[in-house]
Amino acid sequence: MRLHSMHVHVVSPSMTSQTDVPTSRERWTPRLWGTLLVLCAAMFLDALDVSMVGVALPSIATDLGLSTATLQWIVSGYILGYGGLLLLGGRAADLLGRRRVFLIALAVFALASLLGGLVDSGPLLIASRFVKGLSAAFTAPAGLSIITTTFKEGPQRNRALAIYTTCAATGFSMGLVLSGLLTEVSWRLTMLLPAPIALMALLAGMRLIPHSRREDSGKGYDVPGAVTGTAAMLLLVFTVVQAPEAGWTSARTLLSFLAAAGLLTLFAGIERRSPHPLIRLGVLRSGSQIRANLGAAFFFGSYVGFQFLVTQYMQSLLGWSALQTALAFLPAGALVALSSTKIGGLVDRFGTPRVIATGFTLLVLGYALFLRIDLVPRYAAVVLPSMLLLGAACALVFPSLNIQATNGVEDHEQGMVSGLLNTSIQVGGAVFLAVVTAVITAGGGTGGTPQDVLDSFRPGLVVVTVIAAAGLLVTLTGLRRRRAERRTVVVARSGEDPDLRDATLPAATEPVGARD
């Protein structure tokens, strides 16, 4: 592992010298900025596409004559392709070349967007959504690994990742607003809008993104691992998506979960024996990796569940329009966008565990505050403070999780860990959204009086808050581990009594890139 620090005066041969350490003040070349902007555009499109389609669903159902069961697959089809193929997409980026995989997948995304806006049948629209999810499963890990192999680990990479991950929240927020405006004209515009943006990013990427060395020279391909791993993730996501409709305890759901578990077990056995595994299982022995992936699942899962509940509350109970609902979420997205360039500096100074823990604390407070909602709109007292807390939490947590997951990882495995992180995000979102939906349904769902509906929402909000609290607890284990490691270093260096406080170790001796 390469450790970068601006403060270490004596370094071991395994560490880089001070002259190699980038600082946040380094001037980026126009080409470097251009590369980052292309990658940000792809991340922006992924988030934009997800948020825009949700608001357009009622218009799609009316125009194409789709049932509710068919309509849900316009969303679920994207999730299935995205979540099911991320592991394969991440490793493909490492083996086939990150630039090649990213550009091909981005071209497919643009084509699928164009087709999605032109089709006249539900099955074809669902198919285009699945293909878009599939292409995103390759652009997301490839894009993240291009950043982590282009920008040096430390302040430079932290700044790039903070800007990159901010684009997801910005795209999501803008998608909510744009969909409210575009759907007034035609739902097809929400499908078509990503196509020209993706095409421009593709053309720019062909000129700006640096060529990466392929890692498949002299290596074989883990075909059995790719087949079983992809099948396991597809089946797991499919089962979770369908569970609320089929029933969590139905024979179909239980058998599907059992089959997914069997495939995952087979996949793990194949990876242990494969000379060129799709996923090197040793990565999962890293506490930093485990906390990053669990934190990502809890973070995104809680937010997706919260957004689903709040959208239903605002539109079903308060009678707000789609545009009004989108504008209510806008302060959170705006706060994330405005703070994008500051998070890297916070991580450099305090380390990812502290920043993530602070963010999860704000997340829990924001969800808990929203429990005070009632049938009368309380925007200034409840909604706005909650959104600002959630915006601050997203700004702190999401970039820091990406930094923590990719720090210290060799270049040839960056695609793999990026695929793992994105898989955790998507699977966490699918699982916890299904749990929240089940809780609401058990509480009465949308039936009964407005007060009954509100009462059914509250347990769902409690579950969302508990999920976020679980993420906070996972992060706190990293803080305790870090303090224990600092104590060990103090004793080893000084030979002093183990009861000495950590303050005997100067903070300046802690490498920036090794704070977790």
Side-chain angles (χ1 to χ4, degrees):
M1 180 187 298
R2 299 183 65 192
L3 304 179
H4 298 275
S5 174
M6 297 174 62
H7 308 291
V8 176
H9 300 291
V10 179
V11 296
S12 67
S14 63
M15 297 181 182
T16 58
S17 66
Q18 279 185 292
T19 58
D20 295 331
V21 178
T23 70
S24 58
R25 297 183 181 89
E26 282 187 357
R27 185 180 298 277
W28 290 355
T29 64
R31 183 185 181 92
L32 207 57
W33 270 112
T35 298
L36 180 60
L37 290 176
V38 169
L39 301 174
C40 286
M43 173 61 76
F44 178 87
L45 283 175
D46 287 348
L48 184 79
D49 194 71
V50 171
S51 61
M52 283 202 303
V53 73
V55 179
L57 288 178
S59 298
I60 295 173
T62 301
D63 192 20
L64 300 183
L66 303 181
S67 65
T68 302
T70 303
L71 195 65
Q72 78 153 15
W73 277 104
I74 295 175
V75 177
S76 300
Y78 185 91
I79 296 174
L80 186 63
Y82 197 177
L85 295 170
L86 272 165
L87 294 180
L88 181 60
R91 197 55 180 151
D94 289 333
L95 295 175
L96 303 178
R98 302 173 188 93
R99 181 181 186 273
R100 174 186 300 177
V101 169
F102 178 83
L103 293 177
I104 292 175
L106 188 58
V108 174
F109 187 93
L111 181 60
S113 297
L114 179 63
L115 293 176
L118 299 177
V119 297
D120 285 318
S121 74
L124 288 177
L125 181 57
I126 293 169
S128 72
R129 295 287 300 168
F130 177 79
V131 173
K132 289 182 77 170
L134 182 152
S135 62
F138 286 82
T139 58
L144 181 56
S145 61
I146 289 173
I147 287 181
T148 55
T149 54
T150 301
F151 295 87
K152 296 178 183 179
E153 184 174 323
Q156 190 183 55
R157 182 191 293 178
N158 295 349
R159 182 188 180 196
L161 285 175
I163 296 172
Y164 175 71
T165 52
T166 295
C167 289
T170 305
F172 196 89
S173 300
M174 287 192 64
L176 289 171
V177 178
L178 287 173
S179 61
L181 296 172
L182 294 177
T183 304
E184 294 294 326
V185 180
S186 173
W187 64 266
R188 294 184 183 278
L189 293 178
T190 65
M191 299 291 171
L192 291 170
L193 179 63
I197 302 175
L199 180 60
M200 288 188 289
L202 175 64
L203 295 175
M206 293 172 66
R207 294 179 58 86
L208 296 172
I209 296 178
H211 289 270
S212 60
R213 182 175 63 88
R214 292 173 58 177
E215 300 291 344
D216 63 340
S217 177
K219 294 184 178 181
Y221 290 91
D222 181 18
V223 176
V227 172
T228 55
T230 301
M233 294 311 302
L234 284 170
L235 183 57
L236 177 61
V237 174
F238 176 83
T239 304
V240 169
V241 168
Q242 287 291 92
E245 180 183 345
W248 287 92
T249 58
S250 68
R252 170 183 163 183
T253 299
L254 294 177
L255 287 174
S256 293
F257 274 127
L258 183 62
L263 285 171
L264 285 171
T265 302
L266 178 61
F267 171 72
I270 292 172
E271 298 308 280
R272 279 197 295 267
R273 295 189 298 270
S274 174
H276 309 294
L278 185 69
I279 296 177
R280 185 172 62 81
L281 298 181
V283 170
L284 300 179
R285 289 196 291 268
S286 165
S288 175
Q289 281 289 330
I290 292 174
R291 285 190 294 275
N293 282 275
L294 286 177
F298 286 126
F299 167 72
F300 189 67
S302 68
Y303 185 78
V304 169
F306 175 79
Q307 185 213 19
F308 176 77
L309 279 168
V310 173
T311 301
Q312 296 296 316
Y313 163 71
M314 291 178 176
Q315 295 191 30
S316 300
L317 294 182
L318 299 185
W320 290 6
S321 67
L323 183 58
Q324 286 175 309
T325 302
L327 291 175
F329 279 94
L330 189 58
L335 185 58
V336 173
L338 292 174
S339 60
S340 62
T341 59
K342 307 297 182 183
I343 304 305
L346 290 177
V347 172
D348 297 338
R349 182 174 181 180
F350 299 106
T352 55
R354 293 183 181 91
V355 175
I356 295 171
T358 302
F360 264 112
T361 301
L362 298 178
L363 197 67
V364 173
L365 291 175
Y367 293 152
L369 177 60
F370 210 84
L371 285 167
R372 298 175 56 213
I373 59 172
D374 53 35
L375 296 176
V376 179
R378 302 176 64 187
Y379 184 80
V382 176
V383 177
L384 180 59
S386 295
M387 293 301 174
L388 291 176
L389 286 169
L390 297 183
C394 291
L396 293 172
V397 174
F398 198 44
S400 302
L401 287 172
N402 280 268
I403 293 169
Q404 181 168 307
T406 56
N407 268 1
V409 178
E410 298 294 335
D411 283 358
H412 69 278
E413 291 186 334
Q414 285 290 341
M416 179 188 67
V417 297
S418 300
L420 279 172
L421 182 68
N422 280 281
T423 298
S424 298
I425 291 172
Q426 294 303 316
V427 172
V431 169
F432 290 123
L433 176 58
V435 170
V436 170
T437 302
V439 170
I440 297 173
T441 303
T446 57
T449 66
Q451 185 62 50
D452 293 334
V453 175
L454 180 62
D455 290 340
S456 72
F457 285 171
R458 292 191 190 280
L461 287 170
V462 171
V463 170
V464 165
T465 307
V466 170
I467 293 170
L472 175 60
L473 291 176
V474 169
T475 302
L476 291 177
T477 62
L479 287 174
R480 290 198 296 270
R481 182 172 179 270
R482 181 61 196 165
R483 285 196 293 268
E485 289 175 349
R486 285 168 62 96
R487 267 175 87 86
T488 302
V489 172
V490 171
V491 174
R493 288 183 178 180
S494 65
E496 296 173 350
D497 191 283
D499 290 332
L500 289 175
R501 301 275 71 87
D502 288 346
T504 59
L505 178 63
T509 63
E510 186 178 11
V512 171
R515 284 187 173 169
D516 186 61

